[in-house]
Amino acid sequence: MNYYPFHIGDYRSATMHLSNAEDLAYRRALDWYYDTEQPLPLDTQWVARRLRVEARDLDTVLQDFFVRTGEGWVHERCGQEIAQFQQMLAKNRANGAKGGRPKKAVETDPQPVGWRPVGAGVAAATQPQGNQEPRTRNQEPEHPLAPDGAAGGGTPPKTPAAAPRHPVHPAHADHPSGRADPADLPAPHALPRPTGDNSHPLAGTVCQLMKRLGVGLVNPGNAKLNALLNAGVGVGQFEDAAHKALAAGKSFSYALGIVEREEREARALGAQLQKPRVAAQPANRQEALEARNRAVGDAWLQKMQAQAQVQTPTQTQMQMQMQMQTQGAGHAR
């Protein structure tokens, strides 16, 4: 297998207890398993050397996620994915031997409604039923019947085929219905999806929109999708992310990553704009010293002015006392 589905949320929840080295050993062991489509050999020392990891880290991972058998270390989920992949290959080979995927049969009515024969050699529209209004010229068919009628060998006029409701994605153009065959899509994950109060009512709408645009592996129960919707992200932002993911050849998780990064950058910018502005600092030490001296001089000047205002009444009182003493001495003479 050169491809296998990787579900980030399920992997993270199952490997939270692993160290960085153990996580690396587990990822490389999974790649080995899917690449060879066989259980890991029992000789862990030999496998660890090929995976370029420590043997003790590989042993820890094997004990946690694999089962030791006579054929080697078996991983249940990997075995299921490999079996489904082989079944899909077998089906594709069988269709290829028959000349391609069989087309679905389309049931057609040989006598469309409105052109039922009511007698030999006579063709007429379906008889009016109930309280139908009288016929007018607007109800006449645009193309009259052949002279000999439908029963005499004539055929009703052909109407142009209706245009498809939604544009067909280029990747599905080879399929008769214009959509991907469910048998060719990866099997859904067997583990339960997150549900409950955190699910958002627009999650299904977003997934339908992305699927219509051509994004694969959509999941309305994705925890990141519901968290972004609960945070206030609009459907239009997911649509823009879907176009960017398709341009990069990526899938659903990549589009969610684009939306998450844009939201994080927007919040960081908003927080930065809300911070109070800091006064400009002096350009060098000389300017800082001059500013400090000015501040000290201003403080000293204010202090001296306050003392002068307090001392002025006291000096006036002293002058008045001296005058009174002088006058008293004159009277005594």
Side-chain angles (χ1 to χ4, degrees):
M1 295 178 61
N2 55 7
Y3 162 83
Y4 65 91
F6 182 79
H7 301 274
I8 300 175
D10 297 330
Y11 180 86
R12 183 188 298 115
S13 61
T15 58
M16 291 290 290
H17 63 287
L18 297 181
S19 64
N20 290 336
E22 292 170 350
D23 182 81
L24 176 63
Y26 186 34
R27 288 297 303 274
R28 290 184 177 178
L30 290 178
D31 292 344
W32 178 303
Y33 205 112
Y34 282 113
D35 185 33
T36 60
E37 300 184 12
Q38 294 179 357
L40 299 180
L42 296 176
D43 187 357
T44 56
Q45 293 288 342
W46 183 83
V47 175
R49 186 173 180 83
R50 267 67 183 171
L51 296 180
R52 291 174 288 115
V53 297
E54 295 293 336
R56 61 176 181 274
D57 297 329
L58 180 61
D59 290 336
T60 302
V61 169
L62 293 176
Q63 295 296 333
D64 285 353
F65 301 100
F66 292 78
V67 177
R68 182 186 178 94
T69 64
E71 299 178 355
W73 292 95
V74 177
H75 193 285
E76 181 180 0
R77 176 58 192 279
C78 293
Q80 295 175 358
E81 293 291 341
I82 293 173
Q84 294 177 0
F85 176 75
Q86 292 176 350
Q87 291 178 1
M88 183 182 68
L89 288 181
K91 180 180 178 180
N92 292 339
R93 292 193 189 97
N95 292 335
K98 297 177 182 179
R101 185 183 294 110
K103 297 183 179 180
K104 296 181 179 179
V106 180
E107 296 182 359
T108 57
D109 190 353
Q111 297 178 346
V113 177
W115 300 95
R116 304 286 186 184
V118 296
V122 179
T126 304
Q127 298 295 328
Q129 300 179 3
N131 189 17
Q132 186 177 358
E133 296 295 332
R135 292 176 58 85
T136 62
R137 294 179 59 86
N138 295 333
Q139 294 177 335
E140 296 294 335
E142 297 181 0
H143 304 279
L145 291 174
D148 53 354
T155 56
K158 295 183 179 180
T159 57
R165 184 176 180 181
H166 303 297
V168 178
H169 192 265
H172 307 154
D174 57 342
H175 194 270
S177 63
R179 300 180 180 178
D181 189 353
D184 295 340
L185 297 176
H189 204 283
L191 297 179
R193 292 295 182 182
T195 57
D197 298 337
N198 293 331
S199 59
H200 197 276
L202 291 179
T205 303
V206 173
C207 289
Q208 290 179 357
L209 174 62
M210 288 191 172
K211 187 176 181 181
R212 186 178 301 169
L213 294 175
V215 178
L217 302 177
V218 297
N219 177 20
N222 185 278
K224 182 182 294 186
L225 169 63
N226 287 276
L228 292 172
L229 288 172
N230 290 325
V233 178
V235 178
Q237 191 169 350
F238 286 101
E239 183 178 2
D240 295 339
H243 288 293
K244 295 178 182 178
L246 290 174
K250 303 295 183 179
S251 60
F252 180 66
S253 58
Y254 185 84
L256 295 184
I258 293 176
V259 177
E260 182 182 17
R261 184 178 67 254
E262 292 177 349
E263 283 295 303
R264 189 185 305 113
E265 293 175 353
R267 293 181 181 179
L269 179 60
Q272 184 177 1
L273 295 177
Q274 292 178 358
K275 291 182 179 179
R277 295 185 178 181
V278 181
Q281 299 296 330
N284 49 42
R285 296 181 59 183
Q286 181 64 28
E287 294 183 1
L289 181 60
E290 293 177 358
R292 178 178 177 277
N293 293 339
R294 285 193 298 269
V296 172
D298 293 341
W300 179 83
L301 181 60
Q302 293 177 1
K303 182 178 180 181
M304 296 302 296
Q305 292 176 352
Q307 291 179 356
Q309 292 177 359
V310 173
Q311 291 178 358
T312 299
T314 305
Q315 293 176 358
T316 303
Q317 293 176 2
M318 292 177 62
Q319 293 177 359
M320 293 177 64
Q321 290 178 0
M322 292 177 62
Q323 292 178 0
M324 292 176 64
Q325 290 177 1
T326 303
Q327 293 177 1
H331 290 298
R333 294 176 183 173

